[in-house]
Amino acid sequence: MGSARAVTGVGPRFCFTFSGTGGAGVTNLSVDNHIGTVTAWRQPGSNGLYGIEHNYGSTAYAVNINCERAAGAWGNVTITHRGTNGCTFEVRDLGAQAIDAAFVHCTIHDAGG
């Protein structure tokens, strides 16, 4: 039998998907189960570089980002910065080439700090 452990935080603070990630940038941000405001953007002129801005105001959160490419191709996500009001990440294919994802799925969890 395991021991009891205190759990803090409120679970998923933001849960969202965005698409339209090529050329003109993010065109379809669908936010569900959120507390506060979240926006997403694609770095102009650069494949596979994205950012998420939120109003959490703390680095006491964990980010889970997954990408979905057209025709079921794989993509790897690397978080490159995580700050008090947002984070940046990049998407690359299995050959390490920067790619734009068809859809990006993300949750930001309160870490209770």
Side-chain angles (χ1 to χ4, degrees), residues 55-71:
N55 62 349
Y56 189 44
S58 169
T59 57
Y61 64 89
V63 182
N64 181 18
I65 303 171
N66 295 292
C67 69
E68 180 180 338
R69 290 196 55 214

PDB file of all heavy atoms in Angstrom, residues 55-71:
ATOM      1  N   ASN A  55      -1.766  34.317 -19.860  1.00  0.00           N
ATOM      2  CA  ASN A  55      -1.705  35.282 -18.764  1.00  0.00           C
ATOM      3  C   ASN A  55      -1.546  34.604 -17.409  1.00  0.00           C
ATOM      4  O   ASN A  55      -2.002  35.111 -16.394  1.00  0.00           O
ATOM      5  CB  ASN A  55      -2.957  36.167 -18.777  1.00  0.00           C
ATOM      6  CG  ASN A  55      -4.236  35.378 -18.560  1.00  0.00           C
ATOM      7  OD1 ASN A  55      -4.237  34.154 -18.587  1.00  0.00           O
ATOM      8  ND2 ASN A  55      -5.334  36.088 -18.350  1.00  0.00           N
ATOM      9  N   TYR A  56      -0.852  33.483 -17.383  1.00  0.00           N
ATOM     10  CA  TYR A  56      -0.678  32.741 -16.143  1.00  0.00           C
ATOM     11  C   TYR A  56       0.169  33.525 -15.136  1.00  0.00           C
ATOM     12  O   TYR A  56      -0.092  33.525 -13.945  1.00  0.00           O
ATOM     13  CB  TYR A  56      -0.093  31.366 -16.460  1.00  0.00           C
ATOM     14  CG  TYR A  56      -0.056  30.430 -15.280  1.00  0.00           C
ATOM     15  CD1 TYR A  56      -1.136  30.314 -14.425  1.00  0.00           C
ATOM     16  CD2 TYR A  56       1.064  29.666 -15.018  1.00  0.00           C
ATOM     17  CE1 TYR A  56      -1.103  29.454 -13.336  1.00  0.00           C
ATOM     18  CE2 TYR A  56       1.108  28.801 -13.952  1.00  0.00           C
ATOM     19  CZ  TYR A  56       0.020  28.711 -13.112  1.00  0.00           C
ATOM     20  OH  TYR A  56       0.060  27.858 -12.041  1.00  0.00           O
ATOM     21  N   GLY A  57       1.228  34.173 -15.618  1.00  0.00           N
ATOM     22  CA  GLY A  57       2.046  35.026 -14.760  1.00  0.00           C
ATOM     23  C   GLY A  57       3.024  34.296 -13.855  1.00  0.00           C
ATOM     24  O   GLY A  57       3.506  34.855 -12.879  1.00  0.00           O
ATOM     25  N   SER A  58       3.340  33.051 -14.159  1.00  0.00           N
ATOM     26  CA  SER A  58       4.256  32.259 -13.346  1.00  0.00           C
ATOM     27  C   SER A  58       4.873  31.173 -14.227  1.00  0.00           C
ATOM     28  O   SER A  58       4.315  30.802 -15.245  1.00  0.00           O
ATOM     29  CB  SER A  58       3.479  31.604 -12.195  1.00  0.00           C
ATOM     30  OG  SER A  58       4.261  30.639 -11.529  1.00  0.00           O
ATOM     31  N   THR A  59       6.029  30.663 -13.804  1.00  0.00           N
ATOM     32  CA  THR A  59       6.629  29.530 -14.518  1.00  0.00           C
ATOM     33  C   THR A  59       6.267  28.208 -13.854  1.00  0.00           C
ATOM     34  O   THR A  59       6.808  27.160 -14.207  1.00  0.00           O
ATOM     35  CB  THR A  59       8.163  29.652 -14.579  1.00  0.00           C
ATOM     36  OG1 THR A  59       8.670  29.752 -13.239  1.00  0.00           O
ATOM     37  CG2 THR A  59       8.593  30.848 -15.417  1.00  0.00           C
ATOM     38  N   ALA A  60       5.316  28.226 -12.921  1.00  0.00           N
ATOM     39  CA  ALA A  60       4.889  27.003 -12.227  1.00  0.00           C
ATOM     40  C   ALA A  60       3.833  26.273 -13.054  1.00  0.00           C
ATOM     41  O   ALA A  60       2.700  26.085 -12.636  1.00  0.00           O
ATOM     42  CB  ALA A  60       4.350  27.341 -10.839  1.00  0.00           C
ATOM     43  N   TYR A  61       4.213  25.885 -14.274  1.00  0.00           N
ATOM     44  CA  TYR A  61       3.314  25.131 -15.150  1.00  0.00           C
ATOM     45  C   TYR A  61       4.123  24.149 -15.989  1.00  0.00           C
ATOM     46  O   TYR A  61       5.319  24.327 -16.195  1.00  0.00           O
ATOM     47  CB  TYR A  61       2.488  26.055 -16.045  1.00  0.00           C
ATOM     48  CG  TYR A  61       3.285  26.885 -17.036  1.00  0.00           C
ATOM     49  CD1 TYR A  61       3.583  26.390 -18.306  1.00  0.00           C
ATOM     50  CD2 TYR A  61       3.724  28.158 -16.718  1.00  0.00           C
ATOM     51  CE1 TYR A  61       4.288  27.145 -19.226  1.00  0.00           C
ATOM     52  CE2 TYR A  61       4.426  28.917 -17.632  1.00  0.00           C
ATOM     53  CZ  TYR A  61       4.714  28.413 -18.876  1.00  0.00           C
ATOM     54  OH  TYR A  61       5.422  29.163 -19.784  1.00  0.00           O
ATOM     55  N   ALA A  62       3.449  23.120 -16.439  1.00  0.00           N
ATOM     56  CA  ALA A  62       4.045  22.136 -17.341  1.00  0.00           C
ATOM     57  C   ALA A  62       3.314  22.204 -18.672  1.00  0.00           C
ATOM     58  O   ALA A  62       2.094  22.386 -18.710  1.00  0.00           O
ATOM     59  CB  ALA A  62       3.919  20.740 -16.754  1.00  0.00           C
ATOM     60  N   VAL A  63       4.043  22.091 -19.764  1.00  0.00           N
ATOM     61  CA  VAL A  63       3.473  22.194 -21.100  1.00  0.00           C
ATOM     62  C   VAL A  63       3.567  20.843 -21.801  1.00  0.00           C
ATOM     63  O   VAL A  63       4.612  20.196 -21.770  1.00  0.00           O
ATOM     64  CB  VAL A  63       4.225  23.241 -21.945  1.00  0.00           C
ATOM     65  CG1 VAL A  63       3.609  23.381 -23.317  1.00  0.00           C
ATOM     66  CG2 VAL A  63       4.251  24.582 -21.245  1.00  0.00           C
ATOM     67  N   ASN A  64       2.476  20.421 -22.435  1.00  0.00           N
ATOM     68  CA  ASN A  64       2.461  19.211 -23.246  1.00  0.00           C
ATOM     69  C   ASN A  64       2.010  19.613 -24.642  1.00  0.00           C
ATOM     70  O   ASN A  64       0.880  20.061 -24.818  1.00  0.00           O
ATOM     71  CB  ASN A  64       1.510  18.173 -22.643  1.00  0.00           C
ATOM     72  CG  ASN A  64       1.476  16.904 -23.443  1.00  0.00           C
ATOM     73  OD1 ASN A  64       2.364  16.631 -24.247  1.00  0.00           O
ATOM     74  ND2 ASN A  64       0.437  16.123 -23.247  1.00  0.00           N
ATOM     75  N   ILE A  65       2.887  19.492 -25.616  1.00  0.00           N
ATOM     76  CA  ILE A  65       2.595  19.906 -26.990  1.00  0.00           C
ATOM     77  C   ILE A  65       2.811  18.720 -27.920  1.00  0.00           C
ATOM     78  O   ILE A  65       3.851  18.057 -27.863  1.00  0.00           O
ATOM     79  CB  ILE A  65       3.505  21.068 -27.436  1.00  0.00           C
ATOM     80  CG1 ILE A  65       3.362  22.257 -26.486  1.00  0.00           C
ATOM     81  CG2 ILE A  65       3.189  21.475 -28.872  1.00  0.00           C
ATOM     82  CD1 ILE A  65       4.375  23.352 -26.712  1.00  0.00           C
ATOM     83  N   ASN A  66       1.823  18.455 -28.756  1.00  0.00           N
ATOM     84  CA  ASN A  66       1.921  17.415 -29.779  1.00  0.00           C
ATOM     85  C   ASN A  66       1.537  18.011 -31.118  1.00  0.00           C
ATOM     86  O   ASN A  66       0.670  18.879 -31.184  1.00  0.00           O
ATOM     87  CB  ASN A  66       0.963  16.258 -29.462  1.00  0.00           C
ATOM     88  CG  ASN A  66       1.343  15.556 -28.195  1.00  0.00           C
ATOM     89  OD1 ASN A  66       2.368  14.900 -28.136  1.00  0.00           O
ATOM     90  ND2 ASN A  66       0.530  15.709 -27.159  1.00  0.00           N
ATOM     91  N   CYS A  67       2.160  17.559 -32.173  1.00  0.00           N
ATOM     92  CA  CYS A  67       1.814  18.069 -33.492  1.00  0.00           C
ATOM     93  C   CYS A  67       1.242  16.954 -34.353  1.00  0.00           C
ATOM     94  O   CYS A  67       1.501  15.778 -34.137  1.00  0.00           O
ATOM     95  CB  CYS A  67       3.013  18.705 -34.172  1.00  0.00           C
ATOM     96  SG  CYS A  67       4.285  17.536 -34.663  1.00  0.00           S
ATOM     97  N   GLU A  68       0.459  17.379 -35.310  1.00  0.00           N
ATOM     98  CA  GLU A  68      -0.172  16.453 -36.260  1.00  0.00           C
ATOM     99  C   GLU A  68       0.111  16.984 -37.660  1.00  0.00           C
ATOM    100  O   GLU A  68      -0.200  18.124 -37.972  1.00  0.00           O
ATOM    101  CB  GLU A  68      -1.668  16.446 -35.976  1.00  0.00           C
ATOM    102  CG  GLU A  68      -2.483  15.551 -36.843  1.00  0.00           C
ATOM    103  CD  GLU A  68      -3.957  15.634 -36.471  1.00  0.00           C
ATOM    104  OE1 GLU A  68      -4.302  16.035 -35.349  1.00  0.00           O
ATOM    105  OE2 GLU A  68      -4.763  15.308 -37.353  1.00  0.00           O
ATOM    106  N   ARG A  69       0.721  16.155 -38.487  1.00  0.00           N
ATOM    107  CA  ARG A  69       1.021  16.558 -39.854  1.00  0.00           C
ATOM    108  C   ARG A  69       0.048  15.906 -40.801  1.00  0.00           C
ATOM    109  O   ARG A  69      -0.533  14.873 -40.506  1.00  0.00           O
ATOM    110  CB  ARG A  69       2.452  16.156 -40.224  1.00  0.00           C
ATOM    111  CG  ARG A  69       3.464  16.986 -39.471  1.00  0.00           C
ATOM    112  CD  ARG A  69       4.837  16.907 -40.066  1.00  0.00           C
ATOM    113  NE  ARG A  69       4.850  17.256 -41.470  1.00  0.00           N
ATOM    114  CZ  ARG A  69       5.664  16.706 -42.354  1.00  0.00           C
ATOM    115  NH1 ARG A  69       6.509  15.776 -42.000  1.00  0.00           N
ATOM    116  NH2 ARG A  69       5.631  17.078 -43.617  1.00  0.00           N
ATOM    117  N   ALA A  70      -0.096  16.501 -41.948  1.00  0.00           N
ATOM    118  CA  ALA A  70      -0.959  15.940 -42.987  1.00  0.00           C
ATOM    119  C   ALA A  70      -0.459  14.548 -43.364  1.00  0.00           C
ATOM    120  O   ALA A  70       0.734  14.267 -43.308  1.00  0.00           O
ATOM    121  CB  ALA A  70      -0.965  16.850 -44.206  1.00  0.00           C
ATOM    122  N   ALA A  71      -1.366  13.672 -43.739  1.00  0.00           N
ATOM    123  CA  ALA A  71      -1.067  12.319 -44.208  1.00  0.00           C
ATOM    124  C   ALA A  71      -0.374  11.466 -43.147  1.00  0.00           C
ATOM    125  O   ALA A  71       0.334  10.530 -43.462  1.00  0.00           O
ATOM    126  CB  ALA A  71      -0.223  12.371 -45.486  1.00  0.00           C
TER     127      ALA A  71
END
